[in-house]
Amino acid sequence: MKADRDLCINNLYILAKKKGIRICDLETSCGVSVGYLARLRKDKNNSLPGADFLVRAASLLETSVDSLLFFDYHAATDIEIYLHLFVSRLSLDSLSEKVVWKHDPECLPSPVEADSAAGLSDHPLLSFDPRLMEQGIYKEIYLSPFHPMAYDLQPRAAYRAPLSEDTLVMLIRVSPPQADQQPDSEEEIELFLYNTRAKALSALCSTDNRHAGVLDHALSTLCRIVSESVQRTKLDQYAVSAIDAYMNTRRK
C-alpha cells in the first residue's frame, strides 16, 4: 500500500486537534519550522513528511507512524478516535511496563459439565450455555457482549492488567469453533474495562474483521505487545531476594 501525503497530513491535523495541540506547537516540538505542513501540502511532488518528523509526531500524538500514513482518521467517528488514542497509549505504557499484564486463566471456560449451577466462575465473560440449561446441564461458555447470540466462541488467550485500584483492562483473543479445522478463520480481539468493586463490565471495542480500521490496527498492535510481554521471564521479589542471598553467600 502506497502512503498518501494528503491523508497523512490530514491525520496529523485531526489528531493534533483531538489532543489539544496546535499545529505550530507540533511542528516546533518535532524540530521543523512553523508552516512546514502547509508548505508540504502545496508541494507538487507529493513528498511525505520526513521520517524524523513522523516518528516524533507519532510519539507526541500517541499513535504509530503506520497509522499516520495509512489510516483515514477523517472517516473514523469521534468515539473510534477516542478509543484509538486510549489503545495506543495502553500499548506505549505496556511496552514501558507502566501497565503490567498477566494471563487471565479464569476467562477460559471449564470443559466439565455439571448438573447444578454451583461453582460457576464469577468471571464477567463466562455464562452457561442456554441450550443445555433446558436439559439441566450446566456448561460454561464464553459469552461476548459483542456477539450476545454466539454461544460457541472460543477464547484462545486472555490477559488482564490493573489500571487503578478497582479497574482492570481485559484483552481477549477469540475465534469461532471451526478455527482449528479452518486455519484461515479470522481471530477477533476484544477489549474490556471491568470495575471489580461494582462488578461492572464495559465492552470497549473489538476487531470485527469486516474492514480494517484504525481500531483494528491499534488492537492488533496492543495484542502483540501484551502477548510478548507475558511470555518474557519475570521474577517476583521473593525469588530475587533468595537468589541474591545465595549469590552473596557464594562470594564469601
Side-chain angles (χ1 to χ4, degrees):
M1 182 187 299
K2 185 177 180 181
D4 184 303
R5 181 198 62 184
D6 290 337
L7 176 67
C8 176
I9 294 176
N10 286 340
N11 285 340
L12 289 163
Y13 274 88
I14 290 170
L15 291 182
K17 183 177 180 180
K18 292 292 181 184
K19 299 288 288 184
I21 301 174
R22 296 187 304 172
I23 285 297
C24 59
D25 293 335
L26 178 68
E27 290 170 327
T28 55
S29 296
C30 293
V32 298
S33 59
V34 173
Y36 170 75
L37 291 175
R39 293 191 297 273
L40 196 62
R41 180 174 269 164
K42 295 177 182 178
D43 193 338
K44 293 183 179 180
N45 64 13
N46 285 325
S47 298
L48 287 165
D52 289 344
F53 172 85
L54 286 174
V55 169
R56 294 179 184 179
S59 177
L60 287 171
L61 298 173
E62 296 185 313
T63 187
S64 68
V65 173
D66 280 351
S67 295
L68 290 176
L69 290 174
F70 299 114
F71 292 98
D72 188 355
Y73 286 95
H74 180 71
T77 65
D78 286 344
I79 190 65
E80 284 175 333
I81 296 176
Y82 177 77
L83 287 172
H84 174 270
L85 293 174
F86 168 68
V87 174
S88 297
R89 176 61 180 270
L90 202 53
S91 294
L92 292 172
D93 286 346
S94 300
L95 275 172
S96 62
E97 296 188 344
K98 292 179 182 177
V99 173
V100 179
W101 294 83
K102 293 182 178 180
H103 283 292
D104 184 9
E106 293 180 4
C107 185
L108 307 181
S110 170
V112 178
E113 295 179 358
D115 55 5
S116 76
L120 175 69
S121 168
D122 62 356
H123 196 284
L125 289 167
L126 293 186
S127 185
F128 287 128
D129 188 331
R131 299 164 298 186
L132 296 176
M133 286 179 63
E134 296 177 355
Q135 306 172 35
I137 299 173
Y138 296 86
K139 184 177 186 300
E140 283 185 335
I141 59 171
Y142 177 86
L143 195 59
S144 168
F146 297 103
H147 305 283
M149 301 302 292
Y151 303 137
D152 51 3
L153 288 175
Q154 303 293 323
R156 300 299 177 182
Y159 312 96
R160 64 167 58 192
L163 289 189
S164 65
E165 184 178 350
D166 54 9
T167 301
L168 294 173
V169 59
M170 300 192 300
L171 184 73
I172 319 294
R173 290 169 41 211
V174 298
S175 60
Q178 66 270 21
D180 292 336
Q181 290 76 36
Q182 300 177 13
D184 293 335
S185 296
E186 293 284 0
E187 184 179 74
E188 187 167 326
I189 302 166
E190 301 181 340
L191 188 69
F192 305 91
L193 287 183
Y194 182 60
N195 186 302
T196 55
R197 186 172 300 176
K199 296 189 179 300
L201 181 74
S202 295
L204 297 184
C205 51
S206 72
T207 56
D208 58 21
N209 298 314
R210 289 174 296 181
H211 62 277
V214 293
L215 275 174
D216 287 359
H217 181 262
L219 281 171
S220 297
T221 300
L222 175 63
C223 189
R224 175 183 55 78
I225 291 170
V226 170
S227 177
E228 291 174 354
S229 71
V230 299
Q231 290 175 21
R232 287 196 291 267
T233 301
K234 299 181 178 67
L235 294 175
D236 58 30
Q237 190 55 49
Y238 168 76
V240 172
S241 298
I243 292 172
D244 286 347
Y246 172 76
M247 296 298 285
N248 290 334
T249 301
R250 295 288 294 173
R251 293 190 188 101
K252 294 177 181 178

